[in-house]
Amino acid sequence: MSGKLLVVGTPIGNLSDFSPRGVEALERADFIAAEDTRVTLKLLNHFGIKKSLVSYYEHNKRERGEMICARILEGETCALVSDAGMPAISDPGELLVAQCAERGIPVFAVPGPSAVISALAISGLPTGRFTFEGFLSMNKKSRREHLKEVKREQRTMVFYEAPHKLPSTLQDMLAAWGDRRIAIVREITKIHEEVIRTTLAEAAQRFADGGAKGEIVLVIEGAKPEAAEPLTLEDAVELAREYMEQGMSASEAAKQAAQETGCKKGEIYRSVTC
């Protein structure tokens, strides 16, 4: 019997969000790879599941991943879970999935709650296109370089942040991008769930002295599109000549180019016929 890896999403707060399929996946797995076995044990106890746990976290992920892959190749099924949410997203499980892929081990998703998507959905900001930026580095230089890289990003941006780092992060974002809309989403699905829809400037002032608690997701408005430079007569003439090469007369080409560029038809016509 061939083994496999099941990437199982777990609740980000409310245990009632755990799906029946998620429960079944943990019950049927031969063993569970968990970021913090103490946290996962509480989940297992809540659902009456007794299963062997393997510790798998940031500082042992490569070596432990080799061991997990070896067991799967021998025919066992491993369920991968994180402390909360979908494993492998800003999470050590990313490496285990890659190791399995390299060895041809089947990997299946058992979808579950995601703080990224949940926060985005209730942020009140555009959701059609977005980018997930994970956690900013604790190193000041790296953090500011990251913020500089995404300064002109027009899509809505989603970041994870710890409460104690929130004041400096908001100040750095304001300094790097200027003021823009932000939703600070905290304690998703928990008793004290809250969405603070404000601006970076107001948020930086509000949380300057700390005070934020719980798990935090920042959803931030993307940059405004940069205004296009106005087209010149030279651009209009070049466009008209392209139309003429396609078979238009000089008059037709000048008229079409004038409509698209805002330049005067007569000036374009004189330039393409002289």
Side-chain angles (χ1 to χ4, degrees):
M1 180 178 178
S2 60
K4 57 191 173 185
L5 177 70
L6 303 177
V7 181
V8 183
T10 56
I12 55 179
N14 193 321
L15 293 181
S16 298
D17 291 336
F18 201 29
S19 72
R21 184 173 173 230
V23 173
E24 182 182 15
L26 298 189
E27 288 175 334
R28 292 191 174 186
D30 293 297
F31 66 102
I32 299 170
E35 186 176 6
D36 186 330
T37 55
R38 296 166 299 182
V39 172
T40 301
L41 187 58
K42 293 178 182 178
L43 178 70
L44 297 182
N45 288 338
H46 181 82
F47 288 97
I49 301 171
K50 296 185 182 298
K51 196 65 58 172
S52 172
L53 290 169
V54 172
S55 176
Y56 177 88
Y57 58 96
E58 184 63 32
H59 300 295
N60 74 354
K61 62 183 181 181
R62 186 166 295 279
E63 297 76 14
R64 196 55 59 88
E66 296 288 343
M67 180 271 285
I68 292 170
C69 286
R71 290 183 63 173
I72 295 175
L73 288 170
E74 290 175 359
E76 294 187 81
T77 292
C78 172
L80 171 67
V81 298
S82 66
D83 290 348
M86 200 65 194
I89 305 300
S90 196
D91 173 84
E94 175 185 7
L95 178 61
L96 180 57
V97 173
Q99 289 174 314
C100 287
E102 289 173 358
R103 292 163 175 75
I105 293 172
V107 180
F108 299 93
V110 181
S114 167
V116 177
I117 300 302
S118 299
L120 181 67
I122 62 177
S123 68
L125 292 170
T127 62
R129 298 182 68 200
F130 69 95
T131 171
F132 174 56
E133 298 294 327
F135 285 99
L136 288 169
S137 171
M138 295 186 68
N139 178 277
K140 286 186 177 181
K141 182 180 178 182
S142 298
R143 182 166 70 246
R144 287 170 181 167
E145 286 178 352
H146 186 164
L147 295 176
K148 184 179 179 181
E149 286 176 3
V150 297
K151 180 177 181 178
R152 292 182 174 80
E153 174 60 67
Q154 295 180 22
R155 294 170 292 182
T156 299
M157 295 181 286
V158 184
F159 291 82
Y160 283 159
E161 194 50 283
H164 68 279
K165 289 169 54 185
L166 184 62
S168 60
T169 293
L170 292 172
Q171 290 287 353
D172 286 346
M173 287 177 169
L174 181 61
W177 306 330
D179 205 11
R180 58 176 71 176
R181 291 185 296 163
I182 180 174
I184 300 173
V185 187
R186 54 180 295 276
E187 295 292 85
I188 301 174
T189 77
K190 300 178 183 177
I191 295 175
H192 301 293
E193 179 175 320
E194 180 181 29
V195 184
I196 302 169
R197 300 181 183 89
T198 182
T199 65
L200 273 174
E202 292 176 355
Q205 183 176 5
R206 174 172 177 171
F207 293 101
D209 298 325
K213 296 180 181 179
E215 300 295 327
I216 294 173
V217 183
L218 305 178
V219 186
I220 302 145
E221 180 181 31
K224 301 295 183 185
E226 295 182 0
E229 294 184 6
L231 295 173
T232 63
L233 176 60
E234 184 178 336
D235 295 324
V237 170
E238 183 178 348
L239 182 60
R241 285 180 174 146
E242 289 178 3
Y243 286 138
M244 290 171 68
E245 289 175 0
Q246 295 171 17
M248 284 189 181
S249 68
S251 178
E252 291 172 332
K255 180 180 179 181
Q256 184 65 34
Q259 290 176 348
E260 294 183 27
T261 64
C263 295
K264 293 182 178 180
K265 175 187 172 182
E267 292 179 350
I268 299 173
Y269 181 80
R270 284 192 293 273
S271 296
V272 297
T273 56
C274 64

